[in-house]
Amino acid sequence: MFAVETRKLSKHFGNKAAVDGLSLRVPKGSVFGFLGPNGAGKTTTLRMLVGLARPTSGDAFVLGESVLAAGKRYLRRIGFLPDVPGFYNWMRPAEFLMLAGEIFGMSGRELRMRVGEVLEITGLKGVKARIGGFSRGMKQRLGLAQALLNRPEVIFLDEPTSALDPIGRKEILDTISQLSGRTTVFFSTHILNDVERVCDIVAIINHGRLLTQQSISSLRKSYSSHKIYLELEGEPDISAKIEGQPWIDRIEKSDKGWFIHPADLQAAQQALPRMIADHGLVLRRFELVEPSLEDIFVRLVNYR
Amino acid sequence: MTGARTFLKKEFREIGKTYKIYVIPIIFLVLGLTSPLIAKIAPDLVKSLAGSGSGVVIQLPLPTAVDAYLQLFKNFNQIGILVVLISSIGLVVEEKSRGTAVLILTKPVPRWAFIISKYIASAVLIVGSTLLSYFACLYYCGILFDETLFKPSFQGLILLLVYYLLVLAIALLASTIGSTSVVSGGLAIGGVLLLSLLPSLHQWFARYSPGALSGMETKLAAGSIVFSDAVPALIVTAVLAVLLVATAVVVFQRQEL
Ligand SMILES: Nc1ncnc2c1ncn2[C@@H]1O[C@H](COP(=O)(O)OP(=O)(O)OP(=O)(O)O)[C@@H](O)[C@H]1O
Ligand SMILES: [Mg+2]
């Protein structure tokens, strides 16, 4: 059984398909990166998974229970951090967490200790001010705290690091990494760096449709080739010379050098140094560059 | 059920922690205290306004406790209803627009409990404030007029309270349907205006519709009708209130957040 599974899940707003026949499978214990550009349908998918919106067609299962079923017993076993979490302004952070905990049936010492724990984890320990005066980042931290409170089996996070500073982002990503194994993390984002740091599996969607779902390493293998970074002394323009070669796909100017996307990597590795020597140029850097997730993302979203 | 109970508790605490706990009882208390006073000094006021040198002799009957209750119910039906509406328009729509409903409803809190808790907590606040106001008026009447007219005025109060529960149900439904506070406010005010206009449209409405209650309250207090005359309209009002709350629950169950 999968922790989360969607089967041809669709959501239409009028005649616009926000989510379009999406089929995903999220294994238990994995950190699942749900990637897509703005408006791809990430938030809409999450809203259907946590029971806030009804699918137009298709079905989805969380911990084996259909989101279409009445009752939604699985809500006890999940956590959810919306993209912009909203709190009662008159409450203080610990107060909101106590409320959340009581809803889950926790109480007394057990609840107080757990509230202390999640406040510590999210860096809000000792914050006694009313939530009304919180910054966006602090609200996001508190949102994560309330999502962690019931030790969920599946935690849904909608762009959890979007409002955080770099240090906060690192802390939260570390927290998410530590959940790996015990908790299934369903993590929507368009920050590719975050995905590379913590996710095991990624799904990339655009216009509500799945482009690909696989592990990051296999995604790298199958979707992007290496490129070569070349930097020469004096930074002469060599693009015309290289563009005519049989092993070249395209060449791209960067700050001080060139990114060469070869059609045949090995041929390029052999031919390039020779060409440079023949033209009497002086090599400063010659480097094989690993494909980044960003390259893959841009390629998939633009060319499919 | 833990989720439902916890949310109800939150509703009461919210009232206690926000402006509502001070402002609403105080406004009602002021209505209760000023009504007998205004009734008492009104004739003198009229006389002094008419002027003493004009030679017109104004013969005004001495004010009684009945006048105090007439004034009280008039206030309850104008300022009181406005207060009930304003304090309850935001109940659901604010939780939707602020995103707080999302965090609550993705936890084990059933949607019906969300709506019913709000109705119960607001009803307790409104009924409590109105009772406070009424007893303040009663006490003051005892001092100013040497009579309290407890039985007829309390019967009038029962009509008013049931009417308030209906107004609250209208506001709750409007708050559930509306996507912004402005829309909800418009719907609720429209609904209450409709209620108050119905009795003048047809004699059937004048006897049995909720809007008939406001006229009956004062007649009861003045002793010109008896309680059983008001029972049909009272039942219609109570049933309508229950139906509207149930509708709010059904609407909310289907709503996407
Ligand atoms: N309630 C709604 N009514 C109409 N259209 C909607 C609604 N919610 C979402 N949409 C549309 O559905 C599409 C998907 O939106 P969604 O919020 O799921 O995107 P997203 O992937 O979360 O984007 P972002 O990265 O910007 O958060 C968008 O085109 C959006 O305009
Ligand atoms: Mg989104």
Side-chain angles (χ1 to χ4, degrees):
Chain A
M1 196 183 71
F2 293 95
V4 179
E5 186 183 356
T6 70
R7 292 186 195 153
K8 295 208 171 71
L9 187 68
S10 298
K11 178 75 189 177
H12 295 249
F13 294 107
N15 50 19
K16 182 187 185 329
V19 177
D20 193 2
L22 190 64
S23 296
L24 299 171
R25 290 176 158 191
V26 183
K28 281 200 169 153
S30 60
V31 179
F32 182 84
F34 192 44
L35 273 169
N38 289 131
K42 302 181 297 291
T43 299
T44 307
T45 304
L46 279 167
R47 283 173 56 230
M48 290 190 278
L49 288 174
V50 297
L52 293 172
R54 250 185 324 281
T56 310
S57 64
D59 201 351
F61 300 84
V62 179
L63 294 165
E65 198 181 328
S66 166
V67 298
L68 299 173
K72 301 212 182 3
R73 276 171 295 118
Y74 70 85
L75 291 179
R76 293 197 166 280
R77 297 158 66 196
I78 67 161
F80 174 49
L81 167 61
D83 47 359
V84 186
F87 298 95
Y88 301 107
N89 287 340
W90 52 272
M91 284 190 176
R92 295 167 205 280
E95 213 173 348
F96 184 82
L97 295 172
M98 295 293 283
L99 168 72
E102 282 176 33
I103 289 174
F104 286 113
M106 302 159 85
S107 62
R109 215 178 104 80
E110 180 217 357
L111 175 56
R112 280 198 306 279
M113 284 186 51
R114 183 63 187 153
V115 167
E117 270 170 41
V118 294
L119 284 173
E120 171 102 59
I121 291 173
T122 52
L124 289 173
K125 198 180 161 200
V127 178
K128 296 275 187 305
R130 279 187 212 285
I131 302 171
F134 270 30
S135 70
R136 230 161 72 71
M138 286 167 83
K139 283 187 184 165
Q140 204 157 44
R141 285 162 185 268
L142 183 57
L144 182 64
Q146 60 85 36
L148 290 169
L149 191 69
N150 59 327
R151 297 188 175 85
E153 289 163 59
V154 183
I155 186 165
F156 294 94
L157 308 170
D158 196 354
E159 297 185 22
T161 60
S162 63
L164 300 178
D165 58 45
I167 297 167
R169 231 174 87 198
K170 183 179 178 326
E171 287 170 2
I172 298 304
L173 289 174
D174 287 347
T175 305
I176 293 172
S177 298
Q178 282 160 22
L179 292 171
S180 157
R182 278 171 299 141
T183 304
T184 310
V185 183
F186 192 112
F187 172 9
S188 109
T189 183
H190 41 225
I191 303 176
L192 294 152
N193 206 349
D194 290 2
V195 173
E196 296 199 277
R197 263 153 83 172
V198 298
C199 294
D200 314 322
I201 306 176
V202 290
I204 303 181
I205 66 165
N206 196 19
H207 303 303
R209 278 194 290 268
L210 184 67
L211 299 180
T212 182
Q213 174 182 345
Q214 50 192 307
S215 72
I216 292 200
S217 54
S218 76
L219 188 69
R220 281 226 174 90
K221 276 191 203 113
S222 57
Y223 277 95
S224 191
S225 43
H226 287 71
K227 56 189 174 186
I228 294 167
Y229 179 68
L230 181 68
E231 208 176 291
L232 299 168
E233 217 51 77
E235 295 165 25
D237 187 349
I238 47 142
S239 57
K241 291 176 191 122
I242 293 178
E243 250 156 14
Q245 302 293 324
W247 39 260
I248 187 82
D249 177 16
R250 65 197 159 93
I251 178 166
E252 178 190 342
K253 178 92 182 89
S254 90
D255 191 19
K256 289 180 177 165
W258 303 86
F259 279 111
I260 295 160
H261 299 259
D264 180 342
L265 178 64
Q266 215 180 348
Q269 280 173 298
Q270 288 170 347
L272 262 172
R274 200 177 316 128
M275 273 183 65
I276 290 158
D278 289 351
H279 288 89
L281 299 166
V282 182
L283 201 54
R284 202 192 288 153
R285 277 175 74 191
F286 185 84
E287 200 176 311
L288 200 56
V289 185
E290 284 258 314
S292 74
L293 192 53
E294 191 172 320
D295 295 332
I296 301 170
F297 182 81
V298 170
R299 243 179 80 174
L300 273 171
V301 167
N302 288 340
Y303 297 105
R304 281 279 288 270
Chain B
M1 282 317 271
T2 329
R5 208 163 353 103
T6 307
F7 192 73
L8 178 61
K9 217 170 83 183
K10 174 250 150 190
E11 281 303 300
F12 279 115
R13 284 211 308 128
E14 179 157 334
I15 288 173
K17 291 250 175 173
T18 52
Y19 75 97
K20 287 184 179 177
I21 193 66
Y22 311 105
V23 174
I24 293 171
I26 287 174
I27 292 177
F28 273 94
L29 193 60
V30 169
L31 296 183
L33 290 174
T34 52
S35 296
L37 205 61
I38 289 172
K40 182 86 181 171
I41 63 172
D44 295 336
L45 220 57
V46 173
K47 262 185 221 161
S48 68
L49 284 178
S52 46
S54 62
V56 184
V57 180
I58 304 171
Q59 222 34 57
L60 284 171
L62 275 182
T64 66
V66 171
D67 298 305
Y69 287 112
L70 292 184
Q71 183 65 36
L72 181 71
F73 283 116
K74 195 177 115 204
N75 286 340
F76 278 165
N77 278 297
Q78 292 170 356
I79 301 170
I81 285 180
L82 216 58
V83 171
V84 175
L85 276 179
I86 290 170
S87 70
S88 53
I89 287 286
L91 281 177
V92 182
V93 72
E94 260 177 34
E95 293 232 14
K96 285 192 290 189
S97 58
R98 287 201 182 145
T100 46
V102 163
L103 287 189
I104 297 294
L105 295 168
T106 48
K107 296 184 171 56
V109 175
R111 292 199 179 195
W112 64 260
F114 189 91
I115 297 292
I116 301 288
S117 299
K118 291 195 169 282
Y119 189 69
I120 293 176
S122 305
V124 167
L125 174 69
I126 296 297
V127 170
S129 304
T130 312
L131 284 174
L132 178 73
S133 174
Y134 168 77
F135 284 112
C137 178
L138 184 98
Y139 174 77
Y140 222 12
C141 279
I143 294 174
L144 291 177
F145 305 107
D146 287 326
E147 57 175 352
T148 58
L149 298 177
F150 174 70
K151 193 174 164 213
S153 65
F154 194 76
Q155 287 175 341
L157 186 75
I158 289 171
L159 305 195
L160 178 92
L161 288 177
V162 175
Y163 191 69
Y164 273 2
L165 292 179
L166 176 62
V167 172
L168 199 56
I170 289 172
L172 183 76
L173 179 58
S175 190
T176 306
I177 293 173
S179 48
T180 66
S181 303
V182 177
V183 174
S184 296
L187 284 174
I189 289 169
V192 172
L193 278 182
L194 184 69
L195 277 190
S196 62
L197 287 179
L198 277 184
S200 59
L201 294 184
H202 191 276
Q203 64 179 29
W204 191 89
F205 290 128
R207 269 189 75 89
Y208 302 115
S209 82
L213 289 180
S214 61
M216 292 177 175
E217 287 150 16
T218 46
K219 283 183 194 147
L220 258 178
S224 57
I225 60 170
V226 290
F227 190 71
S228 58
D229 295 335
V231 167
L234 199 62
I235 290 172
V236 169
T237 306
V239 169
L240 195 57
V242 172
L243 282 179
L244 292 184
V245 173
T247 308
V249 170
V250 172
V251 169
F252 197 53
Q253 299 269 20
R254 295 170 180 221
Q255 216 159 51
E256 305 205 333
L257 299 171

